[in-house]
Amino acid sequence: MVHVIVVLFILVTQVSAYRPCPKCGKIKVPYPLSTDENCGDPRYRIYCNKGALEFMSAPGFYYKILSINPKANKLIIKPPLIQENTCYSSDLDQGGLMLDENLPFNISTRNTVMLFNCSDNILLSPLNCSSSSFCREFEEVGEGCGCKGTLCCHFLKDSSMTSHRIRARLGGCTAYTCVVDKQPDEPLESWNFGIELQWLPPF
C-alpha cells in the first residue's frame, strides 16, 4: 500500500511539473516557462510581480517581459531605462544584462545593440561608431537625449559574441538600448525596442 502511494505521489508531481502556469496580467505563460514551483519547469523560472511578467538576470535585476513566442522558444524583454538627464542605464550597477550560463536562456542573434557614453577604447573594436551609426538617431528622441554628443556605437549581436551578456560599465559604455530584428533604412518610429532571448527546449 505504501509503495502504491509513493508511485501515485511521483506521478502527480510529474503531471503538475508539466502543467502550464496561469496567465500573468494579459500574457500567457507557456510551458516550460515557470512562475511557480507547481507549474512549468523550474529551470525556466520567470516572475509574475503584480500582474507584470518579469525576467531576472544573474545579478538579480528584473526586466519586464514584453512578449513571448512559444513556437520559436523566444521572449522579448524591455531594455533598461536610461536614467533621465544622465547617460546611465538603470542596470549599470549590475554591469548591464548578464544571464546565468547554467540556465537554458541566451541572447538571440536578432538584436541590434546600441552603446552610449563609451570610452575611446571602443574605437579599436569593429563596432560601427561612425556618424551614420543607428545610435545617433536614438540620441535625438526622448530617452536618448541624455546621451547626445557622447561616443556611441552599434552592432548586430552575432553568434561569434557572448550570448549571455550586454556589458555596461564605468570606463566602458555606461548605457545601452536594443532593437529586435532591425531592418535597413527602417525609420526610428518603427523600431521594435527590446532584447530578444531564446531558450533551449527541455530534454
PDB file of all heavy atoms in Angstrom, residues 3 5 27 58 83 87 94 97 101 123 156 170 183 189 192-193:
ATOM      1  N   HIS A   3       3.867   1.512  -1.110  1.00  0.00           N
ATOM      2  CA  HIS A   3       4.522   1.572  -2.418  1.00  0.00           C
ATOM      3  C   HIS A   3       3.597   2.232  -3.452  1.00  0.00           C
ATOM      4  O   HIS A   3       4.033   3.082  -4.243  1.00  0.00           O
ATOM      5  CB  HIS A   3       4.899   0.162  -2.874  1.00  0.00           C
ATOM      6  CG  HIS A   3       5.542   0.125  -4.231  1.00  0.00           C
ATOM      7  ND1 HIS A   3       6.816   0.589  -4.461  1.00  0.00           N
ATOM      8  CD2 HIS A   3       5.067  -0.295  -5.428  1.00  0.00           C
ATOM      9  CE1 HIS A   3       7.104   0.453  -5.749  1.00  0.00           C
ATOM     10  NE2 HIS A   3       6.048  -0.098  -6.356  1.00  0.00           N
ATOM     11  N   ILE A   5       1.155   4.387  -2.871  1.00  0.00           N
ATOM     12  CA  ILE A   5       1.028   5.809  -2.539  1.00  0.00           C
ATOM     13  C   ILE A   5       2.243   6.592  -3.049  1.00  0.00           C
ATOM     14  O   ILE A   5       2.112   7.678  -3.606  1.00  0.00           O
ATOM     15  CB  ILE A   5       0.857   5.997  -1.014  1.00  0.00           C
ATOM     16  CG1 ILE A   5      -0.509   5.453  -0.575  1.00  0.00           C
ATOM     17  CG2 ILE A   5       0.993   7.472  -0.627  1.00  0.00           C
ATOM     18  CD1 ILE A   5      -0.707   5.411   0.921  1.00  0.00           C
ATOM     19  N   ILE A  27      -0.592  38.291 -20.311  1.00  0.00           N
ATOM     20  CA  ILE A  27       0.334  37.432 -21.046  1.00  0.00           C
ATOM     21  C   ILE A  27       0.202  35.979 -20.589  1.00  0.00           C
ATOM     22  O   ILE A  27       0.277  35.681 -19.395  1.00  0.00           O
ATOM     23  CB  ILE A  27       1.798  37.906 -20.868  1.00  0.00           C
ATOM     24  CG1 ILE A  27       1.955  39.349 -21.350  1.00  0.00           C
ATOM     25  CG2 ILE A  27       2.752  37.007 -21.645  1.00  0.00           C
ATOM     26  CD1 ILE A  27       3.371  39.890 -21.257  1.00  0.00           C
ATOM     27  N   ALA A  58      21.206  37.242 -13.923  1.00  0.00           N
ATOM     28  CA  ALA A  58      22.046  36.543 -12.945  1.00  0.00           C
ATOM     29  C   ALA A  58      22.326  37.387 -11.704  1.00  0.00           C
ATOM     30  O   ALA A  58      22.289  36.868 -10.581  1.00  0.00           O
ATOM     31  CB  ALA A  58      23.347  36.087 -13.606  1.00  0.00           C
ATOM     32  N   GLN A  83      18.574  56.557 -17.468  1.00  0.00           N
ATOM     33  CA  GLN A  83      18.097  57.474 -16.429  1.00  0.00           C
ATOM     34  C   GLN A  83      18.069  58.920 -16.936  1.00  0.00           C
ATOM     35  O   GLN A  83      18.971  59.360 -17.652  1.00  0.00           O
ATOM     36  CB  GLN A  83      18.961  57.334 -15.186  1.00  0.00           C
ATOM     37  CG  GLN A  83      18.854  55.944 -14.571  1.00  0.00           C
ATOM     38  CD  GLN A  83      19.890  55.678 -13.489  1.00  0.00           C
ATOM     39  OE1 GLN A  83      20.700  56.528 -13.165  1.00  0.00           O
ATOM     40  NE2 GLN A  83      19.850  54.483 -12.927  1.00  0.00           N
ATOM     41  N   CYS A  87      23.439  59.605 -18.832  1.00  0.00           N
ATOM     42  CA  CYS A  87      23.602  58.590 -19.878  1.00  0.00           C
ATOM     43  C   CYS A  87      24.013  57.297 -19.206  1.00  0.00           C
ATOM     44  O   CYS A  87      24.993  56.654 -19.579  1.00  0.00           O
ATOM     45  CB  CYS A  87      24.624  59.047 -20.913  1.00  0.00           C
ATOM     46  SG  CYS A  87      24.590  58.037 -22.428  1.00  0.00           S
ATOM     47  N   GLN A  94      24.796  46.667 -12.079  1.00  0.00           N
ATOM     48  CA  GLN A  94      24.911  45.214 -12.254  1.00  0.00           C
ATOM     49  C   GLN A  94      25.819  44.851 -13.431  1.00  0.00           C
ATOM     50  O   GLN A  94      25.985  43.682 -13.750  1.00  0.00           O
ATOM     51  CB  GLN A  94      23.521  44.584 -12.485  1.00  0.00           C
ATOM     52  CG  GLN A  94      22.688  44.409 -11.225  1.00  0.00           C
ATOM     53  CD  GLN A  94      22.131  45.721 -10.721  1.00  0.00           C
ATOM     54  OE1 GLN A  94      21.759  46.589 -11.491  1.00  0.00           O
ATOM     55  NE2 GLN A  94      22.091  45.885  -9.407  1.00  0.00           N
ATOM     56  N   LEU A  97      23.226  43.730 -18.764  1.00  0.00           N
ATOM     57  CA  LEU A  97      22.471  42.476 -18.771  1.00  0.00           C
ATOM     58  C   LEU A  97      23.426  41.292 -18.725  1.00  0.00           C
ATOM     59  O   LEU A  97      24.311  41.169 -19.574  1.00  0.00           O
ATOM     60  CB  LEU A  97      21.608  42.389 -20.028  1.00  0.00           C
ATOM     61  CG  LEU A  97      20.878  41.060 -20.263  1.00  0.00           C
ATOM     62  CD1 LEU A  97      19.864  40.777 -19.157  1.00  0.00           C
ATOM     63  CD2 LEU A  97      20.188  41.063 -21.628  1.00  0.00           C
ATOM     64  N   GLU A 101      24.742  31.439 -17.118  1.00  0.00           N
ATOM     65  CA  GLU A 101      25.133  30.499 -18.170  1.00  0.00           C
ATOM     66  C   GLU A 101      24.723  29.063 -17.862  1.00  0.00           C
ATOM     67  O   GLU A 101      24.787  28.189 -18.728  1.00  0.00           O
ATOM     68  CB  GLU A 101      26.647  30.576 -18.415  1.00  0.00           C
ATOM     69  CG  GLU A 101      27.068  31.932 -18.968  1.00  0.00           C
ATOM     70  CD  GLU A 101      28.512  31.970 -19.418  1.00  0.00           C
ATOM     71  OE1 GLU A 101      29.035  30.918 -19.839  1.00  0.00           O
ATOM     72  OE2 GLU A 101      29.120  33.054 -19.354  1.00  0.00           O
ATOM     73  N   LEU A 123      36.871  52.513 -29.936  1.00  0.00           N
ATOM     74  CA  LEU A 123      37.205  52.787 -31.336  1.00  0.00           C
ATOM     75  C   LEU A 123      38.155  51.745 -31.916  1.00  0.00           C
ATOM     76  O   LEU A 123      38.313  51.639 -33.133  1.00  0.00           O
ATOM     77  CB  LEU A 123      37.828  54.189 -31.451  1.00  0.00           C
ATOM     78  CG  LEU A 123      36.885  55.346 -31.080  1.00  0.00           C
ATOM     79  CD1 LEU A 123      37.642  56.668 -31.077  1.00  0.00           C
ATOM     80  CD2 LEU A 123      35.691  55.405 -32.026  1.00  0.00           C
ATOM     81  N   LEU A 156      25.315  44.343 -34.485  1.00  0.00           N
ATOM     82  CA  LEU A 156      24.372  43.236 -34.507  1.00  0.00           C
ATOM     83  C   LEU A 156      24.988  42.101 -33.712  1.00  0.00           C
ATOM     84  O   LEU A 156      26.100  41.661 -34.012  1.00  0.00           O
ATOM     85  CB  LEU A 156      24.092  42.786 -35.941  1.00  0.00           C
ATOM     86  CG  LEU A 156      23.112  41.608 -36.100  1.00  0.00           C
ATOM     87  CD1 LEU A 156      21.713  41.987 -35.621  1.00  0.00           C
ATOM     88  CD2 LEU A 156      23.064  41.151 -37.555  1.00  0.00           C
ATOM     89  N   LEU A 170      31.261  51.743 -15.977  1.00  0.00           N
ATOM     90  CA  LEU A 170      32.051  52.965 -15.944  1.00  0.00           C
ATOM     91  C   LEU A 170      33.422  52.655 -16.536  1.00  0.00           C
ATOM     92  O   LEU A 170      34.012  51.611 -16.248  1.00  0.00           O
ATOM     93  CB  LEU A 170      32.193  53.468 -14.504  1.00  0.00           C
ATOM     94  CG  LEU A 170      30.893  53.940 -13.837  1.00  0.00           C
ATOM     95  CD1 LEU A 170      31.134  54.219 -12.350  1.00  0.00           C
ATOM     96  CD2 LEU A 170      30.337  55.173 -14.530  1.00  0.00           C
ATOM     97  N   GLN A 183      15.522  46.385 -39.530  1.00  0.00           N
ATOM     98  CA  GLN A 183      15.676  46.305 -40.973  1.00  0.00           C
ATOM     99  C   GLN A 183      16.438  47.518 -41.499  1.00  0.00           C
ATOM    100  O   GLN A 183      16.356  48.610 -40.920  1.00  0.00           O
ATOM    101  CB  GLN A 183      14.298  46.227 -41.643  1.00  0.00           C
ATOM    102  CG  GLN A 183      13.457  45.040 -41.199  1.00  0.00           C
ATOM    103  CD  GLN A 183      14.138  43.720 -41.467  1.00  0.00           C
ATOM    104  OE1 GLN A 183      14.613  43.461 -42.576  1.00  0.00           O
ATOM    105  NE2 GLN A 183      14.209  42.864 -40.450  1.00  0.00           N
ATOM    106  N   GLU A 189      10.653  55.402 -35.673  1.00  0.00           N
ATOM    107  CA  GLU A 189       9.323  55.187 -35.098  1.00  0.00           C
ATOM    108  C   GLU A 189       8.816  53.757 -35.303  1.00  0.00           C
ATOM    109  O   GLU A 189       7.849  53.340 -34.652  1.00  0.00           O
ATOM    110  CB  GLU A 189       8.315  56.195 -35.661  1.00  0.00           C
ATOM    111  CG  GLU A 189       8.183  56.205 -37.155  1.00  0.00           C
ATOM    112  CD  GLU A 189       9.102  57.226 -37.823  1.00  0.00           C
ATOM    113  OE1 GLU A 189      10.117  57.614 -37.214  1.00  0.00           O
ATOM    114  OE2 GLU A 189       8.789  57.627 -38.971  1.00  0.00           O
ATOM    115  N   ASN A 192      11.542  48.123 -33.134  1.00  0.00           N
ATOM    116  CA  ASN A 192      10.959  47.238 -32.114  1.00  0.00           C
ATOM    117  C   ASN A 192      11.930  47.161 -30.932  1.00  0.00           C
ATOM    118  O   ASN A 192      12.771  46.268 -30.862  1.00  0.00           O
ATOM    119  CB  ASN A 192      10.703  45.856 -32.716  1.00  0.00           C
ATOM    120  CG  ASN A 192      10.065  44.891 -31.732  1.00  0.00           C
ATOM    121  OD1 ASN A 192       9.478  45.307 -30.729  1.00  0.00           O
ATOM    122  ND2 ASN A 192      10.201  43.604 -32.000  1.00  0.00           N
ATOM    123  N   PHE A 193      11.817  48.126 -30.018  1.00  0.00           N
ATOM    124  CA  PHE A 193      12.745  48.172 -28.892  1.00  0.00           C
ATOM    125  C   PHE A 193      12.521  46.968 -27.981  1.00  0.00           C
ATOM    126  O   PHE A 193      11.397  46.676 -27.558  1.00  0.00           O
ATOM    127  CB  PHE A 193      12.570  49.468 -28.098  1.00  0.00           C
ATOM    128  CG  PHE A 193      13.164  50.661 -28.775  1.00  0.00           C
ATOM    129  CD1 PHE A 193      12.372  51.497 -29.556  1.00  0.00           C
ATOM    130  CD2 PHE A 193      14.518  50.938 -28.658  1.00  0.00           C
ATOM    131  CE1 PHE A 193      12.923  52.599 -30.198  1.00  0.00           C
ATOM    132  CE2 PHE A 193      15.083  52.037 -29.288  1.00  0.00           C
ATOM    133  CZ  PHE A 193      14.281  52.872 -30.060  1.00  0.00           C
TER     134      PHE A 193
END
